[in-house]
């Protein structure tokens, strides 16, 4: 899977199971095409896009429309469907996965989630949770206890219904331990590398779930090092800089362009192996999303083995700022190919046109 020379590394294409490509009513933040540019610049050849677009993707009709648009991209596109008002909508849409937000729990209740779980179990879809119990939110506070409480709820639902469950952007080493054997989990680069103390810009560092204490973050890194984490995903969540600099900044960090380099920096530091990099950010998420990214079929990333300084201004998507500004990262993506065609080389994304 991995070929190593002195200077370059050839990896299978990366697979990011959690991105927000926005578009439609939020195209000022990002579009399918802009999101695909950021992916290609980051060595990512397949993505799982999120349904919290405007409008939120809760119907079979919207689900199909979005999947059709995404299929015009050069990268492989998958979509997690949003929670429908009627469970029967799943029979019409037949999604591979349904994304459950704390806001869905707040508005539809856990009972609705359990009914969805039952239906999903019989249709063969899986549930992907942003796992924070909203009853623990106070004002803008979203404490770690919200994650702990959600894990317990979801464990009961998984056991009662047999539905397959994935918990995305987990923040606590507790969650990695407590989900062993019944759910898969992923972590983001920001929850591994940034915390309440070392992230200095309050607006750019604002994200859901919140950044945690340095101690919790180090525990999460230790969980990663000991193999307790199944996957790595960005939660690439673009907003405009104006929105981030406003009096009421929206939560979200974008990191699709640099996520592979940040993970390779953890390899350089000896926290993960190269096999772990491929498992966490390619093999396991490709199986979750059901995409085939076999290197032999021409989907790969070429990485130059040198240190570089992260600059949001160099990002290829619409989002061109980052709380990782000036971080030293190791392993710069030099080229990305999808199904035998090079779409990114020497800092340029090209031949990127939506078929629709
Ligand atoms: C996400 C977004 O902007 O869509 N923001 C974030 O902070 N992760 C939504 C979410 O995952 O809650
Ligand atoms: Zn989320
Ligand atoms: Zn998200």
């Amino acid at each position: 899977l991995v070929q190593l020379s002195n200077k370059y590394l050839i990896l299978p294409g990366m697979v990011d199971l959690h991105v927000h490509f926005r578009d439609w009513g939020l195209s000022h933040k990002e579009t399918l095409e802009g999101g695909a540019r950021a992916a290609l610049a980051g060595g990512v050849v397949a993505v799982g896009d999120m349904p919290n677009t405007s409008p939120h993707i809760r119907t079979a009709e919207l689900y199909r429309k979005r999947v059709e648009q995404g299929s015009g991209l050069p990268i492989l596109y998958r979509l997690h469907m949003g929670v429908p008002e009627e469970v029967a909508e799943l029979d019409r849409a037949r999604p591979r996965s349904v994304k459950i937000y704390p806001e869905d729990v707040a508005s539809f209740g856990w009972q609705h989630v359990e009914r969805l779980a039952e239906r999903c179990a019989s249709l063969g879809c899986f549930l992907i949770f942003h796992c924070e119990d909203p009853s623990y939110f106070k004002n803008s506070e979203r404490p770690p206890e919200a994650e702990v409480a959600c894990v317990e709820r979801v464990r009961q639902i998984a056991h009662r219904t047999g539905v397959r469950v994935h918990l995305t952007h987990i923040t606590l080493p507790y969650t990695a331990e407590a989900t062993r054997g019944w759910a898969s989990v992923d972590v983001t680069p920001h929850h591994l590398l940034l915390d309440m103390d070392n992230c200095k810009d309050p607006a750019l560092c604002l994200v859901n779930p919140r950044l945690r204490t340095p101690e919790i973050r180090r525990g999460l890194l230790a969980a990663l090092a000991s193999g307790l984490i199944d996957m790595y995903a960005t939660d690439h969540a673009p907003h405009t800089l104006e929105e981030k600099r406003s009096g009421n900044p929206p939560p979200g960090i974008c990191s699709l362009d640099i996520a592979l380099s940040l993970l390779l920096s953890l390899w350089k530091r000896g926290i993960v192996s190269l096999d772990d990099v491929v498992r966490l950010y390619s093999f396991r998420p490709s199986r979750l999303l059901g995409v085939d990214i076999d290197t032999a079929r021409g989907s790969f990333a070429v990485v130059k083995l040198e240190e570089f300084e992260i600059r949001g201004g160099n990002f290829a998507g619409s989002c061109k700022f980052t709380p990782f500004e000036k971080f030293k990262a190791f392993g710069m993506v030099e080229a990305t190919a999808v199904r035998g065609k090079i779409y990114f080389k020497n800092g340029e994304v090209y031949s990127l046109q939506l078929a629709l």
Side-chain angles (χ1 to χ4, degrees):
L1 278 171
V2 171
Q3 298 166 28
L4 191 56
S5 75
N6 282 344
K7 253 178 135 177
Y8 293 96
L9 193 57
I10 302 169
L11 297 166
M14 296 298 130
V15 179
D16 202 309
L17 71 95
H18 186 157
V19 302
H20 298 268
F21 282 0
R22 315 281 194 208
D23 222 322
W24 295 352
L26 302 173
S27 56
H28 65 286
K29 294 177 193 271
E30 188 50 288
T31 60
L32 284 166
E33 190 176 332
R37 286 177 175 279
L40 289 163
V44 171
V45 302
V47 295
D49 197 11
M50 287 297 166
N52 66 336
T53 44
S54 177
H56 199 110
I57 299 164
R58 301 189 189 280
T59 63
E61 196 190 347
L62 282 177
Y63 179 76
R64 285 206 198 94
K65 179 180 167 194
R66 179 77 169 182
V67 167
E68 195 178 317
Q69 287 177 348
S71 71
L73 294 171
I75 58 170
L76 301 161
Y77 182 84
R78 292 290 183 274
L79 175 65
H80 306 289
M81 185 174 165
V83 171
E85 282 181 36
E86 302 287 337
V87 170
E89 198 65 19
L90 294 182
D91 298 63
R92 288 187 279 276
R94 297 307 303 264
R96 188 179 174 88
S97 51
V98 179
K99 172 71 185 288
I100 293 149
Y101 284 93
E103 293 75 13
D104 296 317
V105 172
S107 51
F108 300 109
W110 283 109
Q111 281 203 336
H112 188 65
V113 176
E114 181 143 354
R115 281 192 295 271
L116 277 177
E118 270 166 16
R119 197 75 208 115
C120 242
S122 61
L123 292 173
C125 49
F126 70 88
L127 300 183
I128 172 165
F129 280 89
H130 171 144
C131 205
E132 292 187 282
D133 187 328
S135 61
Y136 287 75
F137 297 170
K138 322 183 205 61
N139 307 317
S140 71
E141 263 183 70
R142 301 169 68 118
E145 290 73 28
E147 183 168 315
V148 174
C150 174
V151 169
E152 183 52 26
R153 282 279 190 170
V154 174
R155 191 187 60 78
Q156 287 168 10
I157 290 171
H159 283 204
R160 283 202 288 262
T161 66
V163 74
R164 170 150 188 223
V165 169
H166 179 83
L167 306 191
T168 191
H169 58 40
I170 70 160
T171 67
L172 311 174
Y174 164 83
T175 306
E177 278 284 353
T179 51
R180 278 170 95 163
W182 60 269
S184 54
V185 299
D186 71 67
V187 291
T188 66
H190 47 273
H191 292 110
L192 288 172
L193 294 164
L194 301 176
D195 58 50
M196 290 156 66
D197 287 1
N198 74 5
C199 199
K200 298 293 183 205
D201 186 317
L204 296 199
C205 301
L206 182 67
V207 67
N208 292 337
R210 295 288 187 263
L211 296 181
R212 304 304 188 192
T213 62
E215 193 186 0
I216 291 174
R217 179 179 70 80
R218 282 192 289 269
L220 200 62
L221 269 178
L224 183 78
S226 63
L228 276 176
I229 308 283
D230 303 289
M231 304 172 214
Y232 173 82
T234 54
D235 188 12
H236 181 80
H239 299 287
T240 67
L241 190 56
E242 291 67 34
E243 290 166 335
K244 279 297 217 180
R245 291 295 177 222
S246 72
N248 187 21
I253 291 174
C254 38
S255 60
L256 204 38
D257 303 66
I258 52 170
L260 175 56
S261 302
L262 292 171
L263 186 56
L264 288 169
S265 305
L266 295 178
W267 166 54
K268 178 80 169 164
R269 284 166 60 186
I271 292 169
V272 295
S273 70
L274 219 39
D275 278 352
D276 290 332
V277 169
V278 173
R279 170 180 60 85
L280 289 161
Y281 203 28
S282 183
F283 179 61
R284 287 294 308 273
S286 81
R287 283 206 321 198
L288 189 79
L289 297 182
V291 296
D292 182 0
I293 42 89
D294 196 337
T295 317
R297 296 173 74 181
S299 296
F300 60 86
V302 181
V303 171
K304 193 171 190 181
L305 295 173
E306 65 178 26
E307 197 180 78
F308 70 101
E309 211 174 73
I310 289 171
R311 296 281 177 185
N314 293 335
F315 287 5
S318 304
C319 174
K320 295 191 186 292
F321 54 88
T322 168
F324 289 105
E325 186 75 20
K326 293 188 181 155
F327 258 58
K328 298 271 195 296
F330 182 81
M332 184 182 252
V333 178
E334 285 270 307
T336 308
V338 191
R339 288 174 287 196
K341 201 158 174 243
I342 290 178
Y343 287 98
F344 176 76
K345 206 178 152 192
N346 301 328
E348 292 285 331
V349 181
Y350 51 95
S351 357
L352 176 55
Q353 247 155 21
L354 274 175
L356 288 171

